[in-house]
């Protein structure tokens, strides 16, 4: 039976609970334990799939098609454990399940209440797969004291009571603000946060304190005394130059040892941190640098492209270079010539997105990369824009565009080289969709197979002709334009197994120009960079004349 670690947050949000959870998972793995990480989000959306990237950052997609919080991306990148639908839950999903059961009559006419019905639903979720791993790490989103989080805090309190003594521990992440005027590190916000936690029946076993610098011994002792934790369970979480330093930094602080001590696991297996030492060495000792432009529409919030940024970092590590990311607003190129902005970059990446805003700028970026032989990687919408650019400027389809933009505008303006995907094969079943469907959870989501053309660049990059990658889209390049586009030189080098859905396009006469309908960034890890990002950065490195 798994041991449970519940990670909560206090004082302010965005302190890095997800990163701390992921790093702890990596440290427990380094000691030989198996782990699974979960995220419980208090918001009332059923999932983040319909939320704006400006609201929530990127939506991370699992192999089995769940749209989840970006923290699950951290979990996968640090542990290598593929997340599942059962690793992410929200208040919206919990309440939906409870109300569906009430409508079916499952509660036998009882009055439905937060306690026990909602809390029981949360506890049932926590119990899924608890016989599969040694440790289950469960992060509670938000901050202690938030009204919407109370059912989750009550549920984990009950859950710990239901389990045998010593089966569950609580880790609380807080902020130690530094008051520059007085030159003091203040512990009072953390004391109040722990007081709030204790008032709802939860007592932290481990205190993780975010700070700009080290925590003096005097402050550690004060925190231990007033928050009722052991002095060696007060863990400093200092600002780091790279998130991939977190496992080593937390190990030096004794986080993994504090966890094992709390569970009374002794003697504890010694950790093997060679993998993370290699990752840190590659991050901090590059042999050069490359400059990559990310031409997108959510560039004001870098978390909207979190997995892409990390995957490029992984590609840089594989090539021993630092990748300097530069965020370029696609709308800029709808007003101005892209050349003065893009000529200084070694490669161009156009990521996914929804809606027409900024797409003409993305098309111009794809055109610039094609004409100037700059390495180009188009992801999801970025591939569709590359195909539209090829149709307009090479294949002679002057009004080429996407059905998505006509649907948004409410009038027909384009010849739909990209159309609304109405049916596809998922496993042994055929899925049917219409434009009138609800927006949530109705896209082509999760891992799907693709077959690569023998001798193509992507087949060479992957080293195989059979791949599976994660998707998140409802619009697709129309295969009926394939012949005209291939006659113009664009190669459809990856297709769905039934040959109906284009997955990858490339320009064979270009040094490196690839568009993919899927999201390769979701599978990249620091110790296992995705092949496409590894080779994309290699191509950028050649352009920068570092080799």
């Amino acid at each position: 039976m798994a041991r449970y670690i519940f990670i909560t947050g206090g004082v302010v949000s965005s302190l890095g609970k997800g990163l701390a959870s992921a790093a702890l998972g990596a440290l427990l793995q380094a000691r030989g334990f198996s782990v699974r990480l979960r995220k419980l989000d208090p918001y009332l959306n059923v999932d983040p799939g319909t939320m704006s990237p400006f609201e929530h950052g990127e939506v991370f997609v699992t192999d089995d098609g769940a749209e989840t919080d970006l923290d699950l991306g951290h979990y996968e990148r640090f542990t290598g454990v593929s997340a599942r639908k059962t690793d992410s839950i929200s208040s919206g999903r919990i309440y939906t399940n409870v109300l569906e059961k009430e409508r079916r009559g499952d509660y036998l006419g009882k009055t439905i209440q937060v306690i026990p019905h909602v809390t029981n639903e949360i506890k049932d979720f926590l119990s899924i797969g608890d016989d599969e791993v040694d440790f289950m790490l469960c992060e509670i989103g938000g901050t202690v004291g938030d009204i919407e989080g109370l059912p989750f805090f009550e549920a984990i309190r009950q859950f710990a009571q239901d389990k045998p003594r010593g089966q569950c521990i609580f880790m609380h992440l807080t902020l130690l603000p530094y008051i520059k005027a007085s030159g003091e590190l203040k512990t009072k916000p953390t004391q109040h946060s722990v007081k709030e936690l204790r008032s709802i029946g939860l007592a932290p076993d481990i205190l993780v304190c975010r700070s700009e610098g080290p925590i003096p011994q005097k402050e550690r002792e004060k925190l231990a005394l007033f928050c009722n934790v052991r002095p060696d369970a007060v863990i400093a979480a200092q600002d780091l130059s790279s998130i991939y330093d977190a496992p080593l930094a937390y190990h030096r602080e004794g986080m993994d040892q504090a966890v094992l001590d709390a569970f009374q696991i002794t003697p504890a297996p010694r950790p093997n941190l060679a993998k993370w030492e290699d990752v840190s060495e590659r991050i901090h000792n590059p042999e050069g640098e490359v400059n990559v432009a990310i031409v997108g529409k959510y560039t004001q919030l870098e978390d909207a492209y979190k997995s892409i940024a990390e995957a490029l970092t992984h590609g840089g590590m594989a090539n021993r270079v630092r990748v300097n990311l530069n965020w370029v607003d696609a709308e800029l190129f709808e007003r101005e010539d892209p050349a003065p902005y893009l000529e200084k970059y070694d490669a161009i990446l156009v990521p996914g997105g929804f809606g027409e805003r900024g797409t003409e700028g993305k098309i111009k970026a794809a055109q610039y990369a094609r004409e100037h032989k700059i390495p180009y990687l188009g992801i999801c919408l970025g591939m569709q824009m590359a195909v539209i650019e090829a149709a307009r400027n090479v294949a002679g389809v002057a009004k080429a565009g996407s059905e998505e933009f006509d649907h948004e505008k409410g009038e027909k303006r384009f010849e739909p080289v990209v159309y609304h995907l109405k049916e596809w094969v998922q496993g042994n079943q055929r899925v049917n969709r219409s434009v009138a469907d609800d927006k949530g959870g109705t896209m082509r989501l999760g891992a799907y197979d693709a077959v690569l053309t023998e001798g193509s660049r992507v087949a060479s990059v992957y080293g195989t002709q059979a791949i599976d990658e994660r998707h998140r889209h409802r619009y697709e390049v129309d295969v009926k334009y394939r012949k005209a586009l291939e006659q113009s030189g664009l190669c459809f080098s990856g297709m769905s197994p039934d040959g109906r859905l284009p997955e990858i396009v490339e320009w064979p006469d270009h040094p490196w120009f690839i568009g993919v309908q899927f999201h390769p960034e979701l599978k990249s890890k620091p110790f296992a960079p995705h092949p496409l990002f590894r080779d994309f950065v290699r191509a950028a490195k050649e352009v920068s004349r570092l080799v």
Side-chain angles (χ1 to χ4, degrees), residues 95 98-99 101-103 106-118:
Y95 283 107
V98 169
L99 293 174
K101 289 180 179 180
E102 187 271 336
R103 291 289 85 185
D106 292 5
Y107 296 122
L108 303 176
K110 287 187 168 61
T111 301
I112 310 306
Q113 297 176 290
V114 173
I115 302 172
H117 301 100
V118 171

Side-chain angles (χ1 to χ4, degrees), residues 311-444:
L312 285 168
T313 299
H314 306 160
M317 292 161 60
N319 288 279
R320 291 277 182 178
V321 293
R322 177 183 292 109
V323 180
N324 298 319
L325 306 183
N326 296 273
W327 309 91
V328 182
D329 190 338
E331 288 185 278
L332 178 66
F333 300 154
E334 296 180 356
R335 304 184 299 270
E336 300 183 40
D337 179 9
Y341 296 93
L342 296 179
E343 62 187 7
K344 58 187 176 184
Y345 295 111
D346 305 312
I348 297 167
L349 187 151
V350 175
F354 296 90
E356 188 173 2
R357 182 176 65 82
T359 52
E360 291 298 326
K362 291 184 176 186
I363 290 169
K364 285 188 178 180
Q367 180 180 4
Y368 180 88
R370 176 178 61 82
E371 293 177 347
H372 292 81
K373 306 298 184 184
I374 302 297
Y376 176 91
L377 176 57
I379 295 174
C380 198
L381 185 66
M383 167 188 163
Q384 296 172 7
M385 296 303 98
V387 171
I388 290 171
E389 190 279 321
R392 288 181 185 177
N393 300 322
V394 185
V397 186
K399 291 191 174 182
S402 172
E403 203 172 24
E404 177 181 8
F405 311 149
D406 281 347
H407 289 158
E408 185 180 3
K409 189 80 171 177
E411 60 181 88
K412 183 168 174 53
R413 298 165 293 157
F414 297 112
E415 185 170 342
V417 173
V418 177
Y419 74 105
H420 185 272
L421 189 57
K422 295 173 181 64
E423 78 173 17
W424 65 88
V425 175
Q426 185 173 19
N428 297 320
Q429 295 184 324
R430 190 164 294 280
V431 180
N432 292 288
R433 291 282 183 260
S434 77
V435 177
D437 285 344
D438 289 344
K439 298 301 182 192
T442 57
M443 286 184 273
R444 187 172 179 238

Side-chain angles (χ1 to χ4, degrees), residues 62-124:
T62 61
D63 281 334
D64 56 3
E67 294 177 290
T68 73
D69 185 84
L70 60 81
D71 277 331
L72 270 74
H74 285 314
Y75 303 164
E76 280 203 20
R77 284 188 284 272
F78 277 75
T79 66
V81 177
S82 292
R84 303 188 295 224
K85 284 184 177 180
T86 52
D87 294 328
S88 178
I89 200 78
S90 69
S91 288
R93 171 55 62 194
I94 292 291
Y95 283 107
T96 297
N97 292 350
V98 169
L99 293 174
E100 285 174 352
K101 289 180 179 180
E102 187 271 336
R103 291 289 85 185
R104 287 198 305 264
D106 292 5
Y107 296 122
L108 303 176
K110 287 187 168 61
T111 301
I112 310 306
Q113 297 176 290
V114 173
I115 302 172
H117 301 100
V118 171
T119 51
N120 283 350
E121 192 71 26
I122 296 169
K123 286 154 64 178
D124 289 345

